[in-house]
Amino acid sequence: MSNDKRRRASVGHLEAAFGVSLDPELLERALTHRSYAYENGGLPTNERLEFLGDSVLGVVITTALFHNHPDLPEGQLAKLRASVVNMRALADVARGLGPEGLGAYLLLGKGEETTGGRDKASILADTLEALLGAIYLQYGLDTASIVIHRLFDPLMAESAGRGAALDWKTSLQELTAALGLGVPEYRIEGTGPDHLKTFTAWVVVAGNRYGGAEGRSKKEAEQRAAEAAWRTLTEQAEQGAQGDGGATPAQSTGTTGNGAGAKHATAASPAGTPTASPAGGTATETAGGTAADPGGGAAAGDAGTSDVGSARA
């Protein structure tokens, strides 16, 4: 047995998370990333299982959405599916499998191991699909469908509740437009060496900051910051509608840090982080990725290119 397999977490916890036991050989193949296969004599990789699992996941989610939303047109169903079956959503599901997340069970090459591969969204999403493909091969579509519903039903319900938007940034922009709060602006900070860089994002809405969320890429961090803002503003809007006069967040006074849902928001800027300054000419990243400079001229936004690839839609 290799040192890699000895160090790997017990697969029993992983199988318990799925609710099924898998043939050991099939399970090992589903967990074998190509980097590990190449470093160990060209072993079979999980890529064929990933290809199969992607299709199985797609048909189960599509069928569920078709039946759960009989009045939605094709375009909205497609958006809703894209908000569930995408790399970031799959990676988040994968991180919740077992006591340590799916990353603890992966067979990775030394290069991926040293560059944080166990928490890369692309690797986690692909491996989850490979495992679903393995479950389909061993048990058939009915069992695979049960497993997929167990893992993805909460996500489907949540996605339907936020308007079938493609992502949290889209959802937030739709919400702020409806509440009259203007366009969200994003701030990004990066820390760590290039091969293990972590990004922290904040989103500014109507002068209030939300998030402080981390991600392995700028895109991931921005999505998490947008989610925090969306949840807080939604909670505030619901509470305002139930309170005196039905005030919206745009009409209320005070800072976000002292208001409802403050657990998702920070009213004060961390030291060294630029704050919104419409009069002072500080460059800010807008939702479109371009920073407006009130002092004159436009500056390129800090959108960058995600290091985890494009989302599967």
Side-chain angles (χ1 to χ4, degrees), residues 236-247:
Q236 289 177 345
E238 290 173 351
Q239 290 181 353
Q242 295 169 3
D244 294 340

Side-chain angles (χ1 to χ4, degrees), residues 222-250:
E222 285 180 343
Q223 288 287 344
R224 290 178 175 173
E227 177 184 356
W230 186 92
R231 291 187 185 281
T232 300
L233 291 171
T234 299
E235 183 178 346
Q236 289 177 345
E238 290 173 351
Q239 290 181 353
Q242 295 169 3
D244 294 340
T248 68

Side-chain angles (χ1 to χ4, degrees), residues 184-256:
E185 299 174 353
Y186 293 85
R187 308 280 199 280
I188 295 285
E189 289 182 352
T191 58
D194 289 342
H195 67 284
L196 281 175
K197 191 174 285 294
T198 298
F199 296 92
T200 304
W202 292 265
V203 57
V204 179
V205 177
N208 293 322
R209 287 162 55 92
Y210 306 82
E214 292 187 350
R216 289 293 310 279
S217 69
K218 293 176 182 179
K219 181 178 180 180
E220 183 178 3
E222 285 180 343
Q223 288 287 344
R224 290 178 175 173
E227 177 184 356
W230 186 92
R231 291 187 185 281
T232 300
L233 291 171
T234 299
E235 183 178 346
Q236 289 177 345
E238 290 173 351
Q239 290 181 353
Q242 295 169 3
D244 294 340
T248 68
Q251 299 166 326
S252 62
T253 60
T255 62
T256 305

Side-chain angles (χ1 to χ4, degrees), residues 78-277:
K79 286 186 176 182
L80 193 52
R81 180 179 58 190
S83 71
V84 176
V85 185
N86 65 76
M87 182 180 61
R88 180 177 176 269
L90 266 64
D92 284 344
V93 171
R95 292 185 180 105
L97 295 174
E100 302 177 65
L102 180 56
Y105 305 92
L106 303 178
L107 289 171
L108 296 176
K110 293 181 176 61
E112 287 292 352
E113 189 76 63
T114 57
T115 56
R118 292 192 183 277
D119 195 47
K120 276 187 182 176
S122 57
I123 292 177
L124 291 173
D126 291 347
T127 305
L128 176 57
E129 289 181 332
L131 286 162
L132 295 175
I135 291 169
Y136 169 78
L137 275 183
Q138 185 167 340
Y139 292 100
L141 184 58
D142 287 346
T143 298
S145 180
I146 292 171
V147 172
I148 290 169
H149 278 287
R150 175 186 299 166
L151 298 178
F152 288 89
D153 275 0
L155 183 57
M156 282 194 283
E158 181 183 81
S159 297
R162 55 186 162 98
L166 283 171
D167 52 44
W168 287 109
K169 290 179 69 174
T170 304
S171 296
L172 178 61
Q173 188 157 339
E174 291 175 352
L175 178 63
T176 58
L179 296 176
L181 298 177
V183 178
E185 299 174 353
Y186 293 85
R187 308 280 199 280
I188 295 285
E189 289 182 352
T191 58
D194 289 342
H195 67 284
L196 281 175
K197 191 174 285 294
T198 298
F199 296 92
T200 304
W202 292 265
V203 57
V204 179
V205 177
N208 293 322
R209 287 162 55 92
Y210 306 82
E214 292 187 350
R216 289 293 310 279
S217 69
K218 293 176 182 179
K219 181 178 180 180
E220 183 178 3
E222 285 180 343
Q223 288 287 344
R224 290 178 175 173
E227 177 184 356
W230 186 92
R231 291 187 185 281
T232 300
L233 291 171
T234 299
E235 183 178 346
Q236 289 177 345
E238 290 173 351
Q239 290 181 353
Q242 295 169 3
D244 294 340
T248 68
Q251 299 166 326
S252 62
T253 60
T255 62
T256 305
N258 295 325
K263 64 180 180 289
H264 293 298
T266 55
S269 302
T273 303
T275 58
S277 178

